[in-house]
């Protein structure tokens, strides 16, 4: 029996309408959902004011009630949705796995069959899918877009998880649309999933634009996100297991190089965990430096110890 998916996204207005990338993303979600053997529900988690903009292909869920302004107490903050609220909207969906992705993450036509095949072959209950970056000139050329392999990106922005994991996640008030949200959800899945697989170099999703990182919402929002992550790490650090993290089976210097250069890992924590289990009899696999573009983004590290 094919796996059943519920894919939830968060459409939002830009100057009173959906932006061109969102329109493309939604059209490709529709195409991919019709190009698969798996039953797929496409869900929308939206603010009340954006409800009228949501295309009919997306099933409306109850409007989001909280946002960065309400949880931070700063009325000048941007009105960004909370990740926990978005995922809660999919917690009761009739599905085996929930998928959440950002609105600028474009699935390839065979996305759901590809995800289903990987879940079944890896026997895992969570996937992190790193996107491929393509040039902005392809936004109006979908016939060329999906023939472009693109370049890798380190960020986590498409997540697949067994539905039952949602109620176990400790997401605090982390918000969508600002740095840190990928770190928070990825580390929750490393913590709570039995087996979480990172797909660093698969052609499953695309992003228009070649940039690695952006200063999305300014220093105040970044500081709020960082504070939520620090609370999470303080509460859960003792519960992490190094063998659940990508790179665990690489040779010593290869795995530490990757963890240190990757801004989506807290290296002091990774180092301490690895030292405690340095001689645990792990099976070492050959390092594959080409799996991701490590050197290009080493300067984007976030210091969570500040």
């Amino acid at each position: 029996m094919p796996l059943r998916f519920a894919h939830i996204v968060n459409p939002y207005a830009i100057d009173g309408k959906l932006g061109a990338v969102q329109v493309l993303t939604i059209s490709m979600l529709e195409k991919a959902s019709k190009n698969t053997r798996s039953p797929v529900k496409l869900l929308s988690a939206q603010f009340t004011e954006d409800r009228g903009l949501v295309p009919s292909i997306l099933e409306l869920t109850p409007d989001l009630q909280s946002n960065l302004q309400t949880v931070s107490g700063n009325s000048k903050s941007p009105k960004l949705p909370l990740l926990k609220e978005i995922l809660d909207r999919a917690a009761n969906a009739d599905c085996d796995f929930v998928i959440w992705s950002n609105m600028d993450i474009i699935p390839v036509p065979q996305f759901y069959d590809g995800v289903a095949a990987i879940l079944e072959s890896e026997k895992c209950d969570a996937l992190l899918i790193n996107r491929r970056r393509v040039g902005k000139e392809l936004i109006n050329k979908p016939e060329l877009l999906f023939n472009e392999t693109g370049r890798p990106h380190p960020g986590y922005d498409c997540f697949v998880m067994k539905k039952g994991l949602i109620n176990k996640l400790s997401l605090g008030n982390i918000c969508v649309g600002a740095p840190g949200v990928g770190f928070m959800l990825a580390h929750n899945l490393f913590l709570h999933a039995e087996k979480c697989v990172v797909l660093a170099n698969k052609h499953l999703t695309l992003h228009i634009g070649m940039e690695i990182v952006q200063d999305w919402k300014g220093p105040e929002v970044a500081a709020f996100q960082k504070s939520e992550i620090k609370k999470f790490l303080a509460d859960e650090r003792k519960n992490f297991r190094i063998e659940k993290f990508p790179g665990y089976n690489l040779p010593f210097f290869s795995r530490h190089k990757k963890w240190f250069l990757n801004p989506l890992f807290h290296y002091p924590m990774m180092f301490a965990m690895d030292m405690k289990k340095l001689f645990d009899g792990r099976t070492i696999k050959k390092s594959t430096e080409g799996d991701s573009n490590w050197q290009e983004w080493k300067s984007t590290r976030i210091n969570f110890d500040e």
Side-chain angles (χ1 to χ4, degrees):
M1 183 175 179
L3 293 176
R4 300 167 301 155
F5 296 109
H7 193 155
I8 191 161
V9 292
N10 170 229
Y12 59 93
I14 301 175
D15 297 327
K17 61 182 180 180
L18 297 178
V21 173
Q22 291 190 71
V23 171
L24 177 58
T25 296
I26 293 169
S27 70
M28 293 314 303
L29 286 171
E30 180 179 15
K31 184 172 184 177
S33 70
K34 293 178 178 178
N35 188 39
T36 177
R37 296 167 298 164
S38 295
V40 178
K41 278 183 172 291
L42 298 178
L43 305 177
S44 167
Q46 69 291 316
F47 289 123
T48 303
E49 60 267 30
D50 297 326
R51 193 176 184 88
L53 297 173
V54 178
S56 59
I57 187 63
L58 301 180
E59 181 181 324
L60 292 164
T61 64
D63 295 340
L64 300 172
Q65 300 300 311
S66 300
N67 62 76
L68 178 59
Q69 292 178 2
T70 60
V71 298
S72 69
N74 184 355
S75 61
K76 295 182 180 179
S77 295
K79 188 177 179 181
L80 300 177
L82 305 188
L83 178 59
K84 181 181 186 304
E85 241 195 315
I86 291 175
L87 291 179
D88 282 349
R89 297 298 187 270
N92 295 318
D94 183 17
C95 65
D96 302 305
F97 285 85
V98 170
I99 303 173
W100 171 70
S101 56
N102 285 325
M103 284 303 302
D104 58 353
I105 301 305
I106 304 162
V108 299
Q110 72 276 16
F111 174 78
Y112 296 108
D113 279 349
V115 167
I118 293 168
L119 287 170
E120 291 171 348
S121 65
E122 294 287 344
K123 307 299 182 189
C124 60
D125 53 346
L127 291 176
L128 309 182
I129 303 172
N130 290 21
R131 70 195 189 219
R132 307 290 297 179
R133 296 172 289 145
V134 298
K136 293 181 179 179
E137 69 278 3
L138 296 177
I139 189 170
N140 295 316
K141 300 177 181 178
E143 69 280 3
L144 299 177
L145 181 64
F146 297 104
N147 292 320
E148 178 65 45
T149 57
R151 299 185 65 187
H153 188 281
Y156 302 137
D157 38 37
C158 182
F159 301 81
V160 182
M161 67 206 82
K162 189 166 280 189
K163 184 176 69 171
L165 285 169
I166 291 178
N167 293 327
K168 298 180 180 180
L169 304 179
S170 303
L171 300 171
N173 289 320
I174 205 81
C175 61
V176 174
V181 63
F183 181 103
M184 182 69 101
L185 184 49
H187 279 68
N188 265 273
L189 294 176
F190 294 146
L191 177 64
H192 294 292
E194 289 297 318
K195 181 181 180 182
C196 180
V197 172
V198 178
L199 304 178
N201 206 12
K202 299 293 185 185
H203 190 224
L204 287 170
T205 61
L206 298 172
H207 175 266
I208 303 290
M210 302 300 290
E211 68 277 0
I212 295 288
V213 293
Q214 292 178 309
D215 184 13
W216 299 343
K217 298 296 180 181
E220 288 187 3
V221 176
F224 178 86
Q225 297 282 85
K226 188 186 294 186
S227 70
E228 291 298 303
I229 290 171
K230 290 178 72 172
K231 290 177 201 172
F232 166 73
L233 292 178
D235 290 341
E236 301 288 356
R237 186 167 180 163
K238 63 183 180 297
N239 297 320
F240 284 111
R241 293 163 48 199
I242 191 65
E243 58 267 33
K244 284 191 168 186
F245 282 80
Y248 165 76
N249 293 109
L250 293 177
F252 180 86
F253 289 110
S254 294
R255 65 181 182 261
H256 281 271
K257 174 186 175 184
K258 288 180 179 290
W259 292 336
F260 180 75
L261 294 180
N262 191 329
L264 294 169
F265 292 112
H266 182 222
Y267 183 70
M269 183 178 77
M270 302 299 293
F271 181 84
M273 286 195 298
D274 199 41
M275 290 303 100
K276 285 182 180 179
K277 301 198 72 175
L278 187 59
F279 303 106
D280 61 354
R282 73 190 75 182
T283 300
I284 299 298
K285 299 177 182 178
K286 183 179 179 182
S287 177
T288 53
E289 295 295 330
D291 278 353
S292 52
N293 203 9
W294 298 95
Q295 291 295 332
E296 185 174 353
W297 38 278
K298 64 182 180 180
S299 63
T300 65
R301 169 167 296 284
I302 300 173
N303 182 6
F304 294 114
D305 293 322
E306 289 179 348

